[in-house]
Amino acid sequence: NAGVTQTPKFQVLKTGQSMTLQCAQDMNHEYMSWYRQDPGMGLRLIHYSVGAGITDQGEVPNGYNVSRSTTEDFPLRLLSAAPSQTSVYFCASRAQGANPSGELFFGEGSRLTVL
Amino acid sequence: KQEVTQIPAALSVPEGENLVLNCSFTDSAIYNLQWFRQDPGKGLTSLLLIQSSQREQTSGRLNASLDKSSGRSTLYIAASQPGDSATYLCAVSKYGNKLVFGAGTILRVKS
């Protein structure tokens, strides 16, 4: 029973490098999202998707790109990493349908350090 | 812009005590409110979800209330146990797709 799987769990980048954080879910959830968690600030929404081919911006989208080519996968791309993007990143998903109020399932996080 | 505040930021109680965690939000036009638990180094686990039309939800020793008009929610934990030690976060959603989180309350239950 995998749920929401994030890879890698840990990553260290140098400023300017690019990378992709992977997120996959096996619950056939239409809705997927990415959050970042910083000390003392709670979680902030980066991007989200309500289905394959549909993405939208959250509260802090700058510096991040997403795409949703399949229901299962929702990768988060950092094109040119900056130290301000050092954070813990969480992917979350839930069923969408006509009632977007169901339980949100989270992955275990990806800890990113940008030097 | 919606802002969510959680008080206290940290709480330490002896085992067996009943306790209340508080969450307040600035925009009362919410779709729902959720309480989550986060263990160190782990993701978040949903505890309770309250729709905007509801006043409370219960699950085992947990009870969450919602007063939308005053912008407040409380999470009540009965007969606390050391296993309840974690960070508790509340989050509100205006349209269902964008959650705004509080910074969390770090709870420690001493045995």
Side-chain angles (χ1 to χ4, degrees):
Chain A
N1 195 8
V4 179
T5 303
Q6 291 183 232
T7 56
K9 289 188 174 3
F10 301 94
Q11 183 72 47
V12 179
L13 289 178
K14 294 180 180 178
T15 296
Q17 286 185 318
S18 63
M19 78 156 301
T20 299
L21 299 177
Q22 302 290 345
C23 176
Q25 52 88 13
D26 61 359
M27 297 173 282
N28 202 32
H29 285 168
E30 298 95 336
Y31 177 90
M32 297 185 73
S33 56
W34 278 102
Y35 289 85
R36 60 177 289 172
Q37 184 175 35
D38 301 295
M41 298 187 70
L43 280 77
R44 291 180 292 169
L45 180 64
I46 304 172
H47 286 286
Y48 68 97
S49 168
V50 298
I54 306 169
T55 63
D56 205 348
Q57 296 181 346
E59 182 184 355
V60 289
N62 292 340
Y64 307 95
N65 281 349
V66 292
S67 60
R68 184 90 181 274
S69 57
T70 67
T71 299
E72 294 77 20
D73 301 298
F74 191 44
L76 179 71
R77 297 184 184 85
L78 285 72
L79 298 180
S80 179
S84 61
Q85 294 178 304
T86 293
S87 187
V88 182
Y89 292 84
F90 288 98
C91 180
S93 74
R94 62 167 165 74
Q96 179 73 4
N99 182 15
S101 61
E103 180 182 355
L104 201 58
F105 293 84
F106 279 81
E108 296 217 330
S110 297
R111 185 175 296 273
L112 174 66
T113 301
V114 183
L115 303 175
Chain B
K1 178 185 173 185
Q2 177 74 274
E3 293 183 0
V4 179
T5 303
Q6 291 188 244
I7 294 174
L11 182 62
S12 182
V13 300
E15 181 178 5
E17 194 161 296
N18 301 325
L19 57 98
V20 174
L21 306 181
N22 297 292
C23 172
S24 62
F25 45 95
T26 54
D27 184 351
S28 62
I30 63 169
Y31 191 84
N32 59 38
L33 182 144
Q34 298 185 54
W35 282 94
F36 295 88
R37 169 185 173 138
Q38 185 177 28
D39 293 294
K42 299 293 186 182
L44 281 68
T45 301
S46 179
L47 297 173
L48 290 164
L49 169 65
I50 309 177
Q51 304 294 347
S52 61
S53 58
Q54 297 175 322
R55 294 295 297 242
E56 66 177 340
Q57 283 284 346
T58 298
S59 176
R61 294 182 294 108
L62 304 179
N63 175 277
S65 67
L66 173 64
D67 184 343
K68 210 172 69 160
S69 61
S70 68
R72 294 177 187 232
S73 175
T74 60
L75 179 66
Y76 176 83
I77 302 177
S80 59
Q81 303 170 359
D84 295 330
S85 298
T87 298
Y88 291 81
L89 300 103
C90 72
V92 297
S93 170
K94 186 163 186 176
Y95 301 114
N97 288 327
K98 298 184 179 182
L99 268 67
V100 179
F101 281 82
T105 294
I106 302 171
L107 173 64
R108 181 186 171 208
V109 181
K110 299 173 288 185
S111 56

